[in-house]
Amino acid sequence: WNNISDTGAASLADSMKINTTLTQLRLRDNNIGAAGAASLAEAMKVNTALTQLDLSMNNIGDAGAASLADSIKVNTTLTVQL
Protein backbone atom coordinates (compact mmCIF):
# COMPACT_ATOMS: atom_id res chain seq x y z
CA TRP A 1 0.00 0.00 0.00
CA ASN A 2 1.10 3.60 0.41
CA ASN A 3 2.79 3.49 3.84
CA ILE A 4 1.47 6.94 4.80
CA SER A 5 2.24 6.35 8.52
CA ASP A 6 1.14 8.65 11.33
CA THR A 7 2.28 11.79 9.52
CA GLY A 8 0.16 11.07 6.47
CA ALA A 9 -2.79 10.10 8.64
CA ALA A 10 -2.53 13.45 10.45
CA SER A 11 -2.55 15.29 7.12
CA LEU A 12 -5.61 13.37 5.98
CA ALA A 13 -7.27 14.09 9.31
CA ASP A 14 -6.81 17.83 8.80
CA SER A 15 -8.60 17.55 5.46
CA MET A 16 -11.34 15.37 6.92
CA LYS A 17 -12.26 18.12 9.36
CA ILE A 18 -13.53 20.30 6.52
CA ASN A 19 -14.46 17.73 3.87
CA THR A 20 -18.20 17.26 3.40
CA THR A 21 -18.28 14.83 0.45
CA LEU A 22 -15.91 11.94 1.15
CA THR A 23 -17.91 8.97 2.40
CA GLN A 24 -15.36 6.12 2.32
CA LEU A 25 -11.69 6.11 3.26
CA ARG A 26 -9.65 2.93 2.95
CA LEU A 27 -6.33 3.16 4.76
CA ARG A 28 -5.65 -0.56 5.04
CA ASP A 29 -2.03 -1.59 5.63
CA ASN A 30 -0.53 1.92 5.71
CA ASN A 31 1.70 1.68 8.78
CA ILE A 32 -0.61 3.88 10.85
CA GLY A 33 0.04 3.72 14.58
CA ALA A 34 -1.70 5.06 17.67
CA ALA A 35 -0.80 8.70 16.92
CA GLY A 36 -2.26 8.50 13.42
CA ALA A 37 -5.39 6.80 14.72
CA ALA A 38 -5.76 9.55 17.33
CA SER A 39 -5.51 12.22 14.61
CA LEU A 40 -8.15 10.48 12.53
CA ALA A 41 -10.34 10.05 15.60
CA GLU A 42 -10.27 13.78 16.35
CA ALA A 43 -11.30 14.52 12.77
CA MET A 44 -14.14 12.02 12.95
CA LYS A 45 -15.60 13.93 15.87
CA VAL A 46 -16.49 16.79 13.50
CA ASN A 47 -16.81 14.99 10.15
CA THR A 48 -20.32 13.70 9.53
CA ALA A 49 -19.93 12.78 5.84
CA LEU A 50 -17.64 9.78 6.29
CA THR A 51 -19.56 6.56 6.73
CA GLN A 52 -16.78 3.97 6.30
CA LEU A 53 -13.20 3.98 7.53
CA ASP A 54 -10.94 0.98 6.97
CA LEU A 55 -7.89 0.89 9.22
CA SER A 56 -7.32 -2.85 9.04
CA MET A 57 -3.74 -4.17 8.89
CA ASN A 58 -2.36 -1.14 10.77
CA ASN A 59 -0.72 -1.17 14.17
CA ILE A 60 -2.95 1.29 16.05
CA GLY A 61 -2.71 -0.65 19.33
CA ASP A 62 -4.87 -0.21 22.40
CA ALA A 63 -4.37 3.55 22.58
CA GLY A 64 -5.40 4.06 18.96
CA ALA A 65 -8.44 1.84 19.38
CA ALA A 66 -9.45 3.82 22.47
CA SER A 67 -9.21 7.09 20.53
CA LEU A 68 -11.39 5.67 17.78
CA ALA A 69 -13.90 4.35 20.30
CA ASP A 70 -14.23 7.80 21.84
CA SER A 71 -14.87 9.38 18.44
CA ILE A 72 -17.52 6.81 17.55
CA LYS A 73 -19.44 7.89 20.65
CA VAL A 74 -19.79 11.32 19.01
CA ASN A 75 -19.95 10.37 15.34
CA THR A 76 -23.01 8.23 14.67
CA THR A 77 -22.63 8.01 10.87
CA LEU A 78 -19.34 6.13 10.82
CA THR A 79 -18.44 2.46 10.82
CA VAL A 80 -14.80 1.53 11.41
CA GLN A 81 -13.11 -1.61 10.16
CA LEU A 82 -10.07 -2.66 12.17
Side-chain angles (χ1 to χ4, degrees):
W1 296 99
N2 294 310
N3 197 30
I4 66 168
S5 72
D6 290 337
T7 304
S11 295
L12 284 171
D14 288 341
S15 297
M16 285 172 53
K17 290 177 182 175
I18 57 172
N19 185 290
T20 59
T21 56
L22 182 69
T23 59
Q24 297 180 9
L25 185 57
R26 294 184 180 97
L27 296 173
R28 182 176 194 257
D29 198 17
N30 270 289
N31 197 31
I32 297 171
S39 296
L40 293 167
E42 284 302 310
M44 291 185 314
K45 289 180 180 178
V46 296
N47 180 303
T48 57
L50 197 67
T51 58
Q52 295 180 12
L53 176 62
D54 181 359
L55 290 172
S56 60
M57 304 295 292
N58 286 288
N59 191 22
I60 65 168
D62 292 342
S67 296
L68 292 168
D70 286 342
S71 70
I72 293 171
K73 292 176 187 174
V74 177
N75 185 324
T76 58
T77 61
L78 182 69
T79 59
V80 178
Q81 182 175 352
L82 298 172

